[in-house]
Amino acid sequence: MKFLCCNEAIKHLTSEEKRDEAYFMSLLRIAETTCGLYYSYDRDLTLNLQRASKLAAGRVHKPLWKQADPRFVWNRNLLEELIETKLDEFITPLIQGSFQTEQFTLKDRLVRITLFSRRCNRRLGTRMWRRGANLEGATANFVETEQLVEYEGLTSSFIQVRGSIPLLWEQIVDLSYKPRPSIIEHEEMTKVVERHFHDLSQRYGDTMVIDLTDKQGDEGNLSNAFAAEMQNFPDIRYVHFDFHHICGGGNFDNLQVLYDEIEEAIQKQGYFLMNSKGEILLDQSGVVRSNCIDCLDRTNVTQSFLARKSLDSQLQRMGALSSAESISQSDIINDKFKKLWVEHGDELSLEYAGSYALKGDLVRYGRQTLPGLIKDGMSALSRYYLNNFHDGVRQDALDLISGYYTVSKSSSSPFQIIGFESAPYLPVASAIIVGGITVTTFTLSQVGRSAQHLISSIIFAGLTAGVVALVKANGKQLCSRPRLCGLI
């Protein structure tokens, strides 16, 4: 992707406008590195198979952008001027998400599995700077995942969705490893939840919510607030499953406890199936909506478990497996299926958090391994760095290209921010802390030689402690923060 500057008027900008322009151009450079973008010249990628099969026949003759579901057109804002001038042949909708496909043979017949995910653009953002829902009920990191199976002229589709807890809440980075989430008190809270689930029911039918968050601590407070709001909607089934507690120690198989609880509802929702003539044999009548805090790691493990159960049912209905058979009985097929979901989790995690997904071992092996723990540790450190020191700018880039922030003569400068500029202070503070610890350690080792070394140790230790306290007290100001837009 490349953004080209075609405006000669920038030569006549004031010095302040040039500074703003340079910042906006730096944001476009960041946007150019966006991963997980897909397009097609002849197929609408924004629609799942069930929705696409039920569209009016005349719709397929319209330009792709007119067929598309606007929720999943990543570049919708960038296309506006082309749409207004009716340049349909130049308009190519992009989606952001993931695409993986594998094939294998069953009964000497080819089976193809495709995993296709679509990220919603209505609350686009980074892991820490887009949490929860906005006032319209759109949630952060909302993703529709479709598992397509093709066998002997039959095509089947199984849909799951994920999305941030649909409350108004935030989790502002402050240099701590896990900032405390806080609920935003607002009179519209119940309406926000209602709007979110009304939208889901209109699009997918019956909705079942699986909340994978912890029941204790800060996550527990958020989970309890979510559960309390869900009591206002008795028609929507809400299931809490404390993933960390029940699957502690990397015991992936304990997800069977969850499946046993929801199996009847899952089977009732079913999946979509059509034959080679386009005749619909089965409809999926509802959807499972899964969430943890990030809707990445625990969510991906859980969705892969449900998808494996569905795949067995799909292949049994198609005649590729008998009612007593499962893909888990074939190591080759099972490994290919797990590979799909590991790569799928990594791609979605890179788009939202900037790092690979955690808990990939649980999907691939059903347990944690030492190399997996090391990889998870590296990914966690990468997330910490990006969330604290880079994602504020990345959030600005997403707000700019998505149209959430519009550049105009009347818009305020992105440099008109409250507080001090954080970037120059953090390296200095870090140097003082590291230097203070080093000098304190050295002088302490020399304490036995003279009282002067003891006094020096106390002074340097006090200086270091003071800088640490200053950094901790101003953690939020020292982190990378968005300049262009608010949180809701």
Side-chain angles (χ1 to χ4, degrees), residues 32-152:
E32 288 174 349
T33 66
T34 300
C35 60
L37 298 178
Y38 297 90
Y39 67 94
S40 170
Y41 290 125
D42 53 16
R43 179 184 168 182
D44 180 10
L45 301 182
T46 68
L47 298 181
N48 60 57
L49 183 63
Q50 180 163 314
R51 286 192 65 196
S53 67
K54 296 184 178 182
L55 293 177
R59 186 183 175 96
V60 297
H61 300 297
K62 294 181 179 180
L64 277 177
W65 72 266
K66 289 185 177 179
Q67 301 177 38
D69 183 337
R71 294 181 303 158
F72 299 128
V73 180
W74 182 86
N75 57 334
R76 174 75 190 193
N77 178 63
L78 302 177
L79 298 175
E80 286 296 336
E81 290 190 42
L82 297 177
I83 290 173
E84 288 177 8
T85 48
K86 296 182 172 57
L87 294 172
D88 292 342
E89 62 270 30
F90 293 97
I91 299 174
T92 304
L94 300 178
I95 71 157
Q96 187 182 36
S98 71
F99 176 86
Q100 289 81 27
T101 186
E102 287 281 355
Q103 59 185 34
F104 51 85
T105 56
L106 280 173
K107 297 181 178 179
D108 297 323
R109 299 288 189 272
L110 187 68
V111 179
R112 181 186 297 276
I113 303 178
T114 302
L115 205 55
F116 199 7
S117 285
R118 308 164 178 93
R119 290 192 76 202
C120 181
N121 59 24
R122 297 193 298 185
R123 191 155 169 74
L124 201 61
T126 59
R127 177 175 174 244
M128 288 299 186
W129 293 111
R130 282 295 175 267
R131 293 296 211 189
N134 59 19
L135 292 175
E136 287 72 44
T139 59
N141 201 25
F142 183 89
V143 180
E144 176 189 277
T145 297
E146 181 175 22
Q147 179 174 276
L148 290 162
V149 186
E150 299 168 77
Y151 177 77
E152 287 289 273

Side-chain angles (χ1 to χ4, degrees), residues 145-163:
T145 297
E146 181 175 22
Q147 179 174 276
L148 290 162
V149 186
E150 299 168 77
Y151 177 77
E152 287 289 273
L154 297 170
T155 307
S156 181
S157 162
F158 175 61
I159 297 289
Q160 298 184 76
V161 297
R162 66 176 75 184

Side-chain angles (χ1 to χ4, degrees), residues 398-412:
L398 292 171
D399 287 338
L400 181 64
I401 60 169
S402 65
Y404 194 58
Y405 175 88
T406 303
V407 180
S408 66
K409 284 288 185 181
S410 59
S411 59
S412 59

